[in-house]
Amino acid sequence: MTSGMLERARWAARAFARYDKASVDRIVAAVARAGADNATRYAEWAVRETGFGVAEHKALKNVACSTGLVEEYAGHDYVSPRTDPAQKIVSIPRPAGVVFALTPSTNPVATVYFKILLALMTRNAIVISPHPMAKECCADAARTLAAAAAEAGAPDGVIQVIEEPKLPLIESMMADPRVDVIVATGGTPVVRAAYRSGNPALGVGPGNVPVFVDRTADLESAARLIVDSKAFDNSILCTNESVLIAEDAVADRLVSLMRGAHLLSPADRDRVREAVFPGGRFDTRFVGKDATWIAQQAGVRVPPGTRVLLAPIDRPMPEEPLAHEKLCPVLALLRVPSARAGIDAARAVLRISGAGHSAAIHSTDSRTIMEYGAAVPVLRVSVNSGNSLGGSGVHTNLPISMTIGTGYVGGSSAGENLQPGNLVNWTKLAYHVDAPFGDFAGLDPWSPPDGPVPRYPEPSNARTAPASPAAPAPQADVLREEIRRLILEELASLVRS
């Protein structure tokens, strides 16, 4: 299966790399519509299959990562050549080729949508490897988007999915030289495996988001945004707030305004800690579960409508389990005497885990905001915004993304929210500084597909011989000519090299 799937993807990538902007836009729009039309169905399916999160919130993410993503990049062009007469440079886009995309169980379908559309915007073929816990909804979503792409004129095999993901198969495919780039979203072991594969990889690190509220903050807004963010999809996004740091001067008022958040007593805090972190290690059965269920499992009574459990802690240190990342609506609460102490506390949280990922601050003091941003070792800081959808670009002007790069400080080659530009390189035609620059107006090396798009040429031994001679298929001549042209292109490239 590995060989056939990757050969088919490679064939599709070579064909797709010659498409013009209008053809690519048509395919991207059709796939985005198919994703948005099925957003609710796949959201509900994902919750049924994984047991994680809130269907309504997953549907919002599915829309954001389909039609919302396309709207975000409507003015961008990753297909047409760019000319810079002042610098005497022409830039020609070169797609990566075959993208091997690992998707998580926590944000399954949104990530499938996201990575497929990024690949299509940049004329790449993509093979989706879903997390085994979400394989059914992800595989069906990928097939739906593949059908929409093919109907709009994309090459056969431009979107494929591994129906039964197994670790040996995934490792084999990641190391296959026919894969041009791996885009890994998931746990640390998955990302490390991608980097060890020998192929180029774009991976991310874990989050552990500190959110600081200082004495100048709009407390009503901060309280509402933090609760909504922490409760969103039952805190399944890696951008969710993990530790709330509040200045003493406003901490009591802030907590009183956090409607839907229940402040745990020290005894109840200990019960929740022991349930969620038995033996000091996070119990994954709490991932994406709601606050009332978590409280029930811990033997804690909470008011109806509780969306977040606030757990007071004394110090942000590795020995305190509640200071670690929590993909569930349990939010640690730390009081500090000053803004300086709040900044230091946020740095301490990120030393535990989450370096490079994200942080948040609620403040109206520009100096404090600047000092916080300069001090915390992360690459995105949401300001006066919930971080779940702020860090991922839905509620800020950061790029909308389900893959959050953590940069060098987080052990990642990517330091930004993954975006289409990460999947394309540019060939530079650079003139001598004294040479006259050419006239490239109206020149475009790409074109629409010439006639019906041929299917991937399967090997003859993979087909059952017909009982009697059959007439040539209508596309046979087109297919033969396409194969001949590809072979000639390959030979020409060998001669040039």
Side-chain angles (χ1 to χ4, degrees):
M1 181 178 78
T2 301
S3 180
M5 182 174 283
L6 291 179
E7 282 299 326
R8 188 177 170 212
R10 207 165 166 79
W11 184 87
R14 294 195 61 170
F16 197 27
R18 296 188 303 275
Y19 279 37
D20 67 342
K21 180 71 161 60
S23 301
V24 171
D25 285 349
R26 182 176 64 251
I27 294 164
V28 166
V31 169
R33 282 196 304 272
D37 288 347
N38 289 277
T40 298
R41 180 167 74 93
Y42 285 131
E44 293 170 349
W45 190 341
V47 172
R48 284 198 309 273
E49 187 175 353
T50 67
F52 300 159
V54 180
E56 179 186 356
H57 297 168
K58 289 190 184 297
L60 291 173
K61 288 188 289 186
N62 291 348
V63 171
C65 290
S66 52
T67 49
L69 192 69
V70 173
E71 291 167 5
E72 173 84 5
Y73 290 105
H76 296 251
D77 185 351
Y78 303 98
V79 177
S80 307
R82 302 172 182 175
T83 60
D84 185 346
Q87 295 296 318
K88 298 183 179 179
I89 290 177
V90 179
S91 301
I92 302 173
R94 296 284 179 185
V98 175
V99 178
F100 187 70
L102 296 140
T103 61
S105 58
T106 48
N107 300 291
V109 176
T111 308
V112 169
Y113 282 9
F114 171 72
K115 292 186 176 180
I116 285 175
L117 282 167
L118 258 59
L120 295 179
M121 288 178 189
T122 48
R123 299 178 301 166
N124 290 293
I126 185 167
V127 177
I128 297 289
S129 177
H131 192 284
M133 287 184 64
K135 65 182 181 181
E136 293 178 8
C137 61
C138 287
D140 199 82
R143 288 192 296 267
T144 295
L145 269 55
E151 180 68 21
D156 178 45
V158 77
I159 302 170
Q160 297 179 76
V161 62
I162 299 174
E163 305 277 350
E164 292 294 335
K166 299 286 195 320
L167 185 58
L169 172 64
I170 294 167
E171 289 180 337
S172 172
M173 294 188 79
M174 285 198 297
D176 197 293
R178 290 167 293 190
V179 168
D180 294 291
V181 63
I182 302 163
V183 182
T185 306
T188 300
V190 169
V191 174
R192 288 178 178 168
Y195 281 128
R196 289 196 305 266
S197 69
N199 279 321
L202 296 169
V204 299
N208 190 33
V209 179
V211 51
F212 176 45
V213 180
D214 79 356
R215 67 183 64 217
T216 74
D218 179 336
L219 296 182
E220 289 198 8
S221 175
R224 174 178 53 81
L225 289 168
I226 292 168
V227 171
D228 286 349
S229 179
K230 186 60 180 174
F232 184 81
D233 206 11
N234 284 342
S235 207
I236 204 78
L237 282 162
C238 59
T239 48
N240 82 82
E241 290 85 347
S242 181
V243 179
L244 169 58
I245 304 164
E247 272 200 77
D248 276 329
V250 295
D252 288 338
R253 174 69 175 153
L254 175 68
V255 170
S256 72
L257 292 169
M258 295 178 71
R259 298 173 185 87
H262 175 69
L263 180 63
L264 298 169
S265 68
D268 284 347
R269 183 246 353 253
D270 294 345
R271 293 187 185 98
V272 169
R273 180 199 285 128
E274 183 55 36
V276 177
F277 288 93
R281 298 179 65 85
F282 183 70
D283 186 342
T284 56
R285 70 191 180 98
F286 290 95
V287 171
K289 296 300 193 294
D290 64 66
T292 55
W293 185 88
I294 294 170
Q296 184 181 39
Q297 297 300 303
V300 172
R301 298 185 65 178
V302 297
T306 296
R307 302 164 65 203
V308 173
L309 300 178
L310 272 178
I313 62 174
D314 297 324
R315 289 180 296 278
M317 56 186 183
E319 295 78 13
E320 171 53 77
L322 292 167
H324 291 248
E325 183 181 32
K326 302 167 286 298
L327 296 181
C328 64
V330 175
L331 180 61
L333 171 63
L334 177 67
R335 298 168 184 257
V336 293
S338 66
R340 182 68 259 171
I343 293 170
D344 291 342
R347 288 172 55 83
V349 169
L350 291 163
R351 280 197 294 271
I352 296 169
S353 68
H357 201 284
S358 51
I361 182 170
H362 293 264
S363 172
T364 58
D365 184 339
S366 298
R367 181 179 296 276
T368 298
I369 294 168
M370 177 67 81
E371 290 179 357
Y372 185 79
V376 290
V378 298
L379 299 180
R380 57 200 57 75
V381 176
S382 296
V383 180
N384 298 327
S385 171
N387 200 69
S388 285
L389 297 179
S392 56
V394 178
H395 285 172
T396 62
N397 288 320
L398 293 170
I400 294 174
S401 187
M402 289 292 110
T403 300
I404 308 298
T406 55
Y408 307 133
V409 68
S412 170
S413 60
E416 57 194 358
N417 288 13
L418 190 74
Q419 51 197 287
N422 294 118
L423 299 181
V424 61
N425 291 143
W426 296 80
T427 296
K428 306 286 188 179
L429 309 181
Y431 278 65
H432 187 282
V433 292
D434 295 327
F437 189 60
D439 181 6
F440 294 92
L443 298 183
D444 189 342
W446 323 125
S447 60
D450 186 15
V453 180
R455 293 189 62 78
Y456 170 68
E458 297 178 9
S460 58
N461 61 2
R463 297 190 295 268
T464 304
S468 58
Q475 294 183 359
D477 291 338
V478 175
L479 179 57
R480 278 195 295 271
E481 183 59 30
E482 174 71 7
I483 295 171
R484 178 176 178 275
R485 193 180 61 72
L486 289 173
I487 292 171
L488 289 174
E489 268 191 12
E490 187 71 23
L491 290 173
S493 67
L494 289 172
V495 170
R496 288 193 296 270
S497 61

